[in-house]
Amino acid sequence: PPEAWPPARQAADRAVALAPELAEAHNALAIIAFVRDWDWPTAGREFQRSLELNPSYVQARCWHAVAYLQATRGDHEAAVAEARVAVDIDPLSAYTHTMLAYVLAFAGRAGEAVEEACKGAESDPDSYWGQFVLATAYHCAARLSEAEKRIDGRCPHLDGILWPWRIWAGSMPSPRGRRTPRRSTRS
């Protein structure tokens, strides 16, 4: 909610003032600059500072890949490389595989995205984000029935919270550049 941003910024600013060597504080400032302020140069600088302070900080690597390199700069290859570094740092993490899969999907590398998303989903089958990204990877690979099965059949506990994916996937580009047909949600 909008009222959460001012205290978040205050907390991040205070953390940097108290411990300027804290990578997590710089990462928080980067996310605030990216999501709340749409201040791409500040976000880029804060992500870089966070990674200078702690090159093994996988959350900063993943968010830098997705938010700054891919979404802001459109540099898919740099984003994939950054996300791969996160996987190399923590190869057993479901989160790092899922974030790499997300980057790969939007870089147009659907087959690799499915492979990485499967690793993430198998490691943490109850992760909403993991299931969302796996369904997205299947969608990008034109494996629509598997995307739907992932949502409907294998994850009944996620049924009520995956409706945004259904809306979003219905309007995202398919691997061939065409929009996927919308299906009626009415019975």
Side-chain angles (χ1 to χ4, degrees), residues 158-168:
L158 297 175
D159 224 20
I161 58 175
L162 284 175
W163 63 267
W165 179 86
R166 286 189 173 90
I167 293 168
W168 178 69

Side-chain angles (χ1 to χ4, degrees), residues 62-152:
C62 291
W63 289 4
H64 181 239
V66 170
Y68 186 70
L69 294 173
Q70 193 164 52
T72 303
R73 290 187 30 207
D75 190 344
H76 298 293
E77 291 312 306
V80 169
E82 183 81 312
R84 283 197 192 284
V85 171
V87 170
D88 290 344
I89 291 167
D90 193 354
L92 299 179
S93 166
Y95 177 75
T96 60
H97 287 283
T98 300
M99 293 301 279
L100 174 56
Y102 186 81
V103 170
L104 287 164
F106 287 95
R109 295 162 64 173
E112 292 172 81
V114 168
E115 185 179 320
E116 290 297 328
C118 283
K119 291 176 188 175
E122 287 168 9
S123 293
D124 186 0
D126 293 326
S127 167
Y128 164 78
W129 180 243
Q131 299 305 323
F132 179 90
V133 171
L134 181 54
T136 300
Y138 279 141
H139 177 88
C140 291
R143 294 165 62 177
L144 303 180
S145 65
E146 289 173 272
E148 283 294 318
K149 283 180 200 167
R150 176 56 55 174
I151 300 303
D152 292 332

